[in-house]
Amino acid sequence: MKIKTFLHLTFYSIFWVWNVAFLGIVYFWILPSIGYSLIEATFSGLIPNQFLITFMGIIAIPTICTIFGGWRFRKQPIQLIRLFYGVEAPLFLLCLLRLFVLRELTEASTLILGTILVSIIAFSLELLYGYVNRSPLVSWLQLFAHTLMLLTGLYVGILMLFYAVPVSVMLLREFFSFYWLKGIISELTYAPTYAFTLVLSLFVLALSTTLFVFMPSAMASLYVHSGQKILRMFALQNGHKPTFQGAVAVIIAWMILFVSFQQQPQVVAFQMLDLPVRSQSDRQELLANSNLIRDGLVNAYLSSYRYLSTAARSNQIRIMYRSTFGLPESINQTLQDYFNHLMSPFLYKGSDKHKEKAAKLYSNFFDTPIQKGEQKAILNALQSTANVDEVKAGLLNIGEQKVWLKNQEINVTENGDWADIELYEIYENQTFEPQEILYYFTLPESAVITGIWLGDTDNRAQRFPFKVSPRGAAQKVYNSQVRRERPVDPALLEKVGPRQYRLRAFPVPAKLSVGERKNNSERPTKMHLWLTYQVMAKDNSFALPELTEKRNIYWNKDTKRIYNTKSVRSDGEAWLPPSLPAVAQTTPQQHQINFANGYQISAQPLVTPEKFLPESERFAVVVDTSYSMRTKTKELKQNIDWLVANGLGDLSFGNGDADIYLTDVGFPPERIDDISQFDAEKVTFFGTLQYQEMLEQFLQLQGDTRYNGIILVTDEGSYELSDNSQEMPNLSAPLWMLHLGAMPPAYDDATLKLIQKSGGGVATKLTEVFQQVTAKSKLGKSVVSVADGYAWFMEEKSSEETIEDNFAPLAAQQLVLGLSKKMNLDTLEELDAIHAIAKTYKIVTPYSSMIVLVNDEQREALKRAEAALDRFNRKVEDGKEQLTDPNNPLDPLSVPEPGMVLGMVVMGIGLWVSQNNSKFKIQK
C-alpha cells in the first residue's frame, strides 16, 4: 500500500510540478519577453511561418495537457502519467526536434515521424476510450495503429536509450562537480534581476533532464503495453488468426515502405553520370532517366537541409560513450553503427562534397544552374531552416515578391522621329530587411540610355546623380556596397548585350518596425528611381523597355501608373506596355552629327526594309544541341524549312546557300551541306555547350569554305554558366545570334565583343538576320548598323565643322559601335578612348556603365577602381548564392565537453532573455 501511495505521489509530482513550472516560465517570462517580437519577425519573413507554428505547439501541448489532466484525470495518477509519457512528452519532444533539429522532410523521415504521430494519436484515443468493440471498422483501425505502436515504442525507446544512458551519468557527474554553480554565480553578478528566473529555469531543466532519462523505458513500456492490450482484446473478439494476419500485414506493408524509401536517388544518379557515354543509346538512356537524375542531384545538393548528417560524420554516440565511460574504441564504434542503422532515414548516404559535385553535374547535364532550374525546391528547403539568403538579388530571387512597385510614370518628349523618354518608379519594401531589385530588359538596338538617378523622395533637386564609369570599376564598387550591414544607396546600370541592359538598385529601405512606427521614425521607407533614354520612332510609336527577367520586384493591380500625365489601368501582369503611340505623326528623317574626333555619324531611313532577301551570300548555320534546346525543336525545324523554301538549300550558290554545323558534347560535330536532308526531330539534345565551344567546333569543320555570315541558332542560353576568362575564336564573317523563343538576359563580355567586332548582331527571327545582312552588303562598308528602320553610317570628315545637338547621344552610341570594329579593344588605351566618348555624351555602352553614388567613401572607392588596370574587366554575374549549411547535430564537433553542458545551458538562458529583444531589433 505504501509503495502504491508513493508511486501515485510520484506520478502526481512528475505531471503537475513539471507542467506548472514550465507554463510559469512560458507565460510569465518567455512570451512577455520575446513573444511579440517573434510574431513580428515571422510576419516580416525573418523567421519561417512553420517555426512560429512549432513554437506555439511547444506552448500549446503542455497547456492543453495540463487543462485536460486537471479536468479528466485529476484523481487518476496512473492515467496522468500515461498522458504525460505517452502523449505530452512525445509531442513536446517532436516539436523541439522540429524546431531545432529536423529540416525539410524526406519520404523516409516522413514515414518515421508519421508512424510516431499515428501512434501518439492512437494512444491518446485508447487513453480516453479504451478498446472500441462496437464498431468493426474502428476495431480494425485500432489493430493497425496499435501494431505500429508496438514498433514505435521499441524504436523510439531504443533510440532514446542511446542518449539517456550517457546523459544520466554525465549530468550526475556535473551536478556533483558544482561547475554549474559557478555559472549561476557569474550570471547573477551581471544580471541579478534574473535571479528568480534563473533558479526556476534551472529547476525545470533539471527536472526535464531527469524525466528524459526515464522516458525511453517509460514510453516503450506504455506503448508496448497499450499495443498488447488492444491486440489481445481484438483477438478475444475476432480470433487469434485474424489478429495475427492483420498485425503481420501491417508490419510487412510498413517494412516495404521503409525499405523503398531508404533508396536515396543520388546514389543511382551519380552512378549513371559517372559512367562514360560511348554511344547515342547511352545518351538516350540518360535522357530517359532525366527525372531520376534530377531528383538525385537535387537531393545531393540539398542534403544538408534534408538530412541531419552524412553517415560518415554521424559519430556523436561514439564520442559520447568514449568520453563518458572510457570504453574501448571497438565497442564505441559498434554502438555508433547500431545507432546509425536506426537513424538511417535521417542520414545522407554520401559525402559533404556531393553538394558541389551535384551543382556541377546538374549544369553540365541540364544546361542551366541548379539554383535557377530548381529554385522552388531550394527555396522550400531554405524555409525549413532559419537560413537567410544573401542580400544580393541572385538566382533564388527570380520572381520573388519582396519589393512592390508602388508608382510608375512615363513621360515622352517627342522630337520628330525620335523621343526622350523618362521612366520614374517608386519602390516599397514589403520586408524588414533591405532588398536589392534587379531588372534585365531590352531596348531597340538603336536606343541609348542617357541617365539614372536615385532618391529618398520625389524631390528631383535632392536626388543622387549618376557617373559614367568603366564597366569593371563600376561593377566592383557596386557589388562591394550590396551588404546588410550599413547599406548605402548605390545603383548600377549596364549594357550587357546589343539590346540588353541590367539595372540594379540597393537598398530599397526596410519597412518600419513596430517600434519605429511607435516612435514616429522619419527614416525613408521608399526608393525613387529615374531612368532616361532616347529611342527612334517606329510605326508611329516609341518603344518601351521589354522585361526579360526580374528579381525581388513585383507589381499588381494596385500599382499606380501614369503615362504622359494620364492615369492608366493596369492588368497587373506586364511591367510596361510594348510601346506608347506618338502624339504627332512621325516621319522618318535623315540625321547627321559631326563629332570633335573627326567622325561623322548619319542616320538614313530605310525605304523598303522588308524586301531585303539573300541573293548570292553563303551562310554557316551553327546549331546548338545543348539539353535546353530540346524544347525548341519545332522552331528549329521552321527556320531550316524557311531557308530551304527561300533557295538556300538547293546547293545552288546563285541564290544564296547555307550549310548546317551540328555541334555536339563528347562526340565529333557534323557538317551538313545539303540542309534539305536535315531532320530536327532526329537531333539528340544533350549536355551543355558554351558559345566558345560551338564556334570552335564550327571552325574545325569549316575548312576553306568562305561565308558571308555565321548564324548561331540557340535558345535563351545560360548566361550564368559563362566563363569569365574565356577567349572567343577569331571569325572571318559576322556572327549573328539567332535566339529561338526569347533573347537571353545578358551576354558575357567576350561574346558581346565578338558580336560587335565581327559586325554581327542578335535577333529572334531569321528574317531579321537576313534583312540586316543584305542591307549592309548593299549599303557599303561605311554602314555601322541597320536597325529599327534606319541605316547608320560612320565616315571620317575631319574638315567638317563639329555639329552636335540633342540627337548626339543616339549618334554617339553608333560611333562607339563603329569604332569598336576598327580599334584593338585588347589595350587599355583604346578602351579608354571608347570610354571617353561615353563620358562626354553621358551614355551607357558595352564598355561604360552608369553608377549612382551617395557618399565620399563610395566616390573614393570608385576613383581607385577607375585607376586600376582591370577597370574594364567585368565579371559574369552568375547569381549563385552561397547557402549556409545548417548545423550538423550528429557531428562530434558539435558535442561540448561534459563539464560545460549544464553551466552553458544555465548561463545561456539568462543571456538569451536579456539580449533577445535587442537581437530582434537589430535583425529588423
Side-chain angles (χ1 to χ4, degrees):
M1 188 69 180
K2 292 182 179 180
I3 296 177
K4 181 179 180 181
T5 303
F6 173 77
L7 289 175
H8 285 182
L9 288 175
T10 302
F11 295 161
Y12 276 126
S13 300
I14 290 174
F15 185 86
W16 290 114
V17 173
W18 188 88
N19 277 298
V20 171
F22 176 80
L23 293 178
I25 292 176
V26 168
Y27 287 103
F28 295 101
W29 179 31
I30 295 179
L31 285 182
S33 299
I34 68 165
Y36 188 84
S37 298
L38 182 66
I39 294 173
E40 185 179 5
T42 303
F43 283 108
S44 71
L46 288 176
I47 298 177
N49 293 335
Q50 54 189 313
F51 281 89
L52 177 64
I53 295 172
T54 306
F55 180 77
M56 298 305 294
I58 291 175
I59 298 174
I61 289 168
T63 303
I64 294 172
C65 289
T66 301
I67 295 172
F68 192 82
W71 167 60
R72 186 73 179 266
F73 302 131
R74 186 172 61 254
K75 297 181 179 181
Q76 302 176 52
I78 295 179
Q79 297 296 74
L80 280 179
I81 203 65
R82 294 186 75 207
L83 175 64
F84 183 80
Y85 271 122
V87 180
E88 182 179 358
L91 284 176
F92 187 81
L93 184 60
L94 275 181
C95 288
L96 284 178
L97 291 174
R98 180 63 190 92
L99 190 63
F100 297 111
V101 179
L102 298 178
R103 296 134 192 186
E104 185 179 34
L105 299 181
T106 63
E107 292 178 339
S109 59
T110 300
L111 176 66
I112 297 296
L113 296 177
T115 302
I116 295 174
L117 189 60
V118 168
S119 300
I120 295 173
I121 295 173
F123 186 87
S124 304
L125 295 176
E126 186 270 326
L127 181 67
L128 293 175
Y129 305 108
Y131 176 66
V132 182
N133 56 7
R134 290 167 294 181
S135 172
L137 177 61
V138 176
S139 298
W140 276 99
L141 290 176
Q142 279 192 300
L143 171 69
F144 297 153
H146 282 261
T147 301
L148 293 177
M149 189 185 296
L150 288 171
L151 296 176
T152 300
L154 294 173
Y155 177 82
V156 176
I158 295 173
L159 197 62
M160 294 179 63
L161 192 62
F162 277 98
Y163 285 100
V165 173
V167 167
S168 60
V169 174
M170 181 185 68
L171 290 177
L172 284 174
R173 288 178 182 174
E174 295 313 311
F175 179 82
F176 289 107
S177 71
F178 298 105
Y179 183 87
W180 53 275
L181 189 58
K182 297 178 182 179
I184 294 178
I185 295 173
S186 175
E187 186 63 26
L188 292 179
T189 303
Y190 295 99
T193 56
Y194 292 108
F196 175 76
T197 305
L198 285 173
V199 173
L200 181 60
S201 301
L202 179 61
F203 174 75
V204 172
L205 176 64
L207 182 59
S208 300
T209 304
T210 305
L211 298 179
F212 171 78
V213 170
F214 291 105
M215 188 172 176
S217 57
M219 183 178 175
S221 61
L222 286 174
Y223 277 33
V224 171
H225 177 268
S226 178
Q228 289 177 336
K229 174 185 173 182
I230 295 300
L231 266 65
R232 194 164 48 245
M233 297 183 71
F234 184 89
L236 290 174
Q237 182 183 6
N238 300 283
H240 291 281
K241 185 176 180 180
T243 304
F244 177 78
Q245 291 174 338
V248 170
V250 171
I251 294 173
I252 292 175
W254 190 91
M255 291 301 296
I256 291 174
L257 290 175
F258 180 79
V259 172
S260 63
F261 290 163
Q262 286 286 81
Q263 310 305 312
Q264 296 179 9
Q266 79 281 352
V267 177
V268 177
F270 285 142
Q271 289 175 350
M272 296 181 71
L273 293 177
D274 287 341
L275 293 174
V277 180
R278 297 188 176 93
S279 63
Q280 290 294 338
S281 60
D282 291 343
R283 283 183 168 183
Q284 294 299 333
E285 182 179 357
L286 288 174
L287 292 173
N289 290 283
S290 59
N291 289 333
L292 175 60
I293 292 173
R294 185 188 302 274
D295 292 341
L297 296 180
V298 172
N299 196 57
Y301 187 76
L302 298 176
S303 57
S304 60
Y305 293 90
R306 293 180 173 180
Y307 301 92
L308 300 184
S309 172
T310 62
R313 289 183 60 192
S314 176
N315 293 313
Q316 195 178 68
I317 295 300
R318 177 173 61 84
I319 300 298
M320 289 180 69
Y321 277 80
R322 183 179 65 188
S323 60
T324 305
F325 300 106
L327 297 175
E329 194 64 19
S330 59
I331 297 178
N332 296 329
Q333 188 59 52
T334 301
L335 290 172
Q336 182 67 60
D337 292 340
Y338 282 125
F339 176 81
N340 286 352
H341 283 305
L342 289 172
M343 286 292 293
S344 58
F346 303 93
L347 298 179
Y348 175 71
K349 298 177 182 177
S351 166
D352 290 330
K353 297 180 180 179
H354 278 183
K355 181 176 180 179
E356 295 181 2
K357 180 180 179 181
K360 184 176 181 179
L361 289 175
Y362 187 97
S363 60
N364 288 341
F365 188 87
F366 293 105
D367 194 29
T368 190
I370 192 170
Q371 289 190 359
K372 189 173 186 178
E374 305 298 331
Q375 179 193 20
K376 183 177 180 181
I378 295 173
L379 288 176
N380 286 338
L382 286 176
Q383 291 169 1
S384 68
T385 70
N387 190 309
V388 179
D389 63 350
E390 294 181 3
V391 66
K392 190 174 179 180
L395 295 177
L396 296 179
N397 299 105
I398 297 175
E400 288 289 281
Q401 297 188 355
K402 295 183 178 181
V403 177
W404 177 47
L405 175 58
K406 184 178 182 180
N407 290 72
Q408 182 185 81
E409 292 185 24
I410 300 175
N411 294 298
V412 180
T413 303
E414 298 183 13
N415 302 287
D417 62 343
W418 64 278
D420 284 293
I421 298 181
E422 179 190 76
L423 172 64
Y424 168 48
E425 294 188 334
I426 303 176
Y427 310 109
E428 193 171 88
N429 197 337
Q430 303 301 298
T431 74
F432 290 86
E433 291 280 354
Q435 299 293 343
E436 181 191 36
I437 60 169
L438 183 148
Y439 288 116
Y440 278 107
F441 63 90
T442 62
L443 282 171
E445 191 170 345
S446 61
V448 60
I449 289 182
T450 56
I452 182 174
W453 297 261
L454 288 183
D456 296 328
T457 68
D458 59 358
N459 189 335
R460 293 171 179 259
Q462 296 180 357
R463 62 186 183 177
F464 302 110
F466 64 88
K467 181 178 181 182
V468 178
S469 178
R471 63 190 182 191
Q475 182 193 51
K476 182 178 181 180
V477 172
Y478 176 86
N479 285 338
S480 70
Q481 299 299 308
V482 182
R483 55 178 183 250
R484 293 192 189 277
E485 300 79 15
R486 299 192 305 111
V488 184
D489 296 86
L492 180 64
L493 182 55
E494 307 168 274
K495 189 167 187 179
V496 288
R499 303 181 187 177
Q500 292 92 331
Y501 296 86
R502 178 170 57 214
L503 168 61
R504 294 185 285 171
F506 174 85
V508 182
K511 289 177 64 176
L512 292 177
S513 65
V514 173
E516 287 177 315
R517 291 196 296 269
K518 287 181 179 179
N519 296 328
N520 297 318
S521 173
E522 297 181 357
R523 175 175 64 81
T525 58
K526 298 178 180 65
M527 173 184 282
H528 299 251
L529 183 145
W530 293 262
L531 182 149
T532 60
Y533 68 96
Q534 294 180 347
V535 65
M536 304 300 295
K538 187 175 183 180
D539 299 329
N540 209 50
S541 64
F542 299 103
L544 297 178
E546 182 179 351
L547 184 70
T548 55
E549 186 180 296
K550 61 183 176 68
R551 300 179 187 176
N552 285 337
I553 183 75
Y554 76 100
W555 42 86
N556 52 31
K557 293 182 179 180
D558 295 325
T559 298
K560 184 178 180 182
R561 301 176 189 261
I562 299 176
Y563 299 161
N564 284 330
T565 70
K566 294 181 180 179
S567 181
V568 178
R569 292 188 62 182
S570 169
D571 60 4
E573 296 293 332
W575 177 37
L576 292 162
S579 61
L580 289 180
V583 175
Q585 183 67 34
T586 61
T587 302
Q589 302 174 5
Q590 291 188 3
H591 299 272
Q592 181 175 299
I593 298 292
N594 295 336
F595 291 95
N597 62 359
Y599 284 98
Q600 179 188 88
I601 294 292
S602 56
Q604 296 182 11
L606 295 175
V607 180
T608 55
E610 300 299 331
K611 294 183 179 180
F612 287 114
L613 289 174
E615 295 180 356
S616 60
E617 292 88 356
R618 193 171 187 181
F619 299 91
V621 181
V622 182
V623 178
D624 177 10
T625 60
S626 298
Y627 179 87
S628 58
M629 278 285 288
R630 75 197 188 284
T631 61
K632 305 299 182 184
T633 304
K634 181 180 179 181
E635 292 90 334
L636 176 60
K637 184 178 184 302
Q638 290 174 345
N639 280 278
I640 300 302
D641 290 345
W642 186 92
L643 290 173
V644 174
N646 283 274
L648 280 84
D650 57 8
L651 300 179
S652 173
F653 301 129
N655 58 349
D657 185 62
D659 302 324
I660 291 179
Y661 291 81
L662 277 181
T663 60
D664 213 320
V665 179
F667 288 85
E670 181 183 358
R671 173 172 171 169
I672 304 174
D673 290 343
D674 185 1
I675 67 173
S676 64
Q677 303 301 312
F678 174 74
D679 188 351
E681 295 181 354
K682 292 183 179 180
V683 177
T684 301
F685 297 102
F686 183 86
T688 184
L689 282 169
Q690 298 304 309
Y691 300 139
Q692 174 195 17
E693 298 170 293
M694 300 179 204
L695 294 174
E696 287 176 348
Q697 291 186 9
F698 155 70
L699 292 175
Q700 292 174 15
L701 300 178
Q702 180 185 7
D704 297 330
T705 309
R706 293 181 177 273
Y707 294 103
N708 299 92
I710 302 166
I711 305 172
L712 200 161
V713 184
T714 182
D715 56 358
E716 293 180 50
S718 296
Y719 160 75
E720 295 84 6
L721 297 179
S722 302
D723 186 357
N724 284 309
S725 60
Q726 68 176 342
E727 289 291 332
M728 300 297 287
N730 293 321
L731 301 179
S732 58
L735 173 63
W736 296 90
M737 305 294 292
L738 177 61
H739 295 281
L740 305 180
M743 287 280 185
Y747 294 99
D748 62 273
D749 285 338
T751 302
L752 177 57
K753 174 184 173 182
L754 180 60
I755 293 172
Q756 296 195 328
K757 191 169 184 63
S758 68
V762 299
T764 57
K765 297 179 181 179
L766 196 56
T767 52
E768 296 176 1
V769 174
F770 284 108
Q771 175 185 326
Q772 296 190 56
V773 170
T774 53
K776 286 183 178 181
S777 66
K778 290 182 177 181
L779 295 173
K781 294 183 179 180
S782 63
V783 66
V784 175
S785 68
V786 176
D788 311 315
Y790 288 81
W792 298 81
F793 298 87
M794 183 180 78
E795 298 174 290
E796 292 190 52
K797 298 286 185 179
S798 56
S799 60
E800 294 285 341
E801 181 183 353
T802 300
I803 302 175
E804 296 183 3
D805 57 21
N806 293 335
F807 190 79
L810 283 163
Q813 176 172 248
Q814 299 297 323
L815 178 62
V816 168
L817 178 58
L819 291 176
S820 67
K821 300 175 184 179
K822 299 180 62 175
M823 291 182 169
N824 178 14
L825 297 182
D826 293 328
T827 66
L828 279 176
E829 182 180 359
E830 302 283 21
L831 286 170
D832 285 335
I834 289 282
H835 174 62
I837 298 172
K839 287 185 66 176
T840 300
Y841 296 97
K842 297 181 179 180
I843 61 174
V844 176
T845 74
Y847 313 97
S848 307
S849 303
M850 286 182 178
I851 184 169
V852 177
L853 304 175
V854 301
N855 60 36
D856 292 336
E857 178 185 351
Q858 293 175 337
R859 296 184 187 96
E860 284 299 318
L862 182 63
K863 186 177 179 181
R864 292 191 298 270
E866 288 182 332
L869 296 177
D870 62 350
R871 54 185 174 271
F872 289 99
N873 295 350
R874 179 167 54 188
K875 295 182 179 180
V876 172
E877 293 284 352
D878 60 16
K880 179 183 177 181
E881 299 198 30
Q882 298 298 325
L883 306 182
T884 304
D885 288 336
N887 179 53
N888 183 344
L890 303 181
D891 191 334
L893 295 177
S894 66
V895 182
E897 289 297 322
M900 300 175 60
V901 174
L902 200 54
M904 285 173 59
V905 171
V906 174
M907 290 188 291
I909 292 173
L911 290 172
W912 180 63
V913 173
S914 63
Q915 297 178 1
N916 227 306
N917 284 327
S918 62
K919 178 182 177 183
F920 275 108
K921 290 178 181 178
I922 291 173
Q923 287 179 336
K924 292 180 284 186

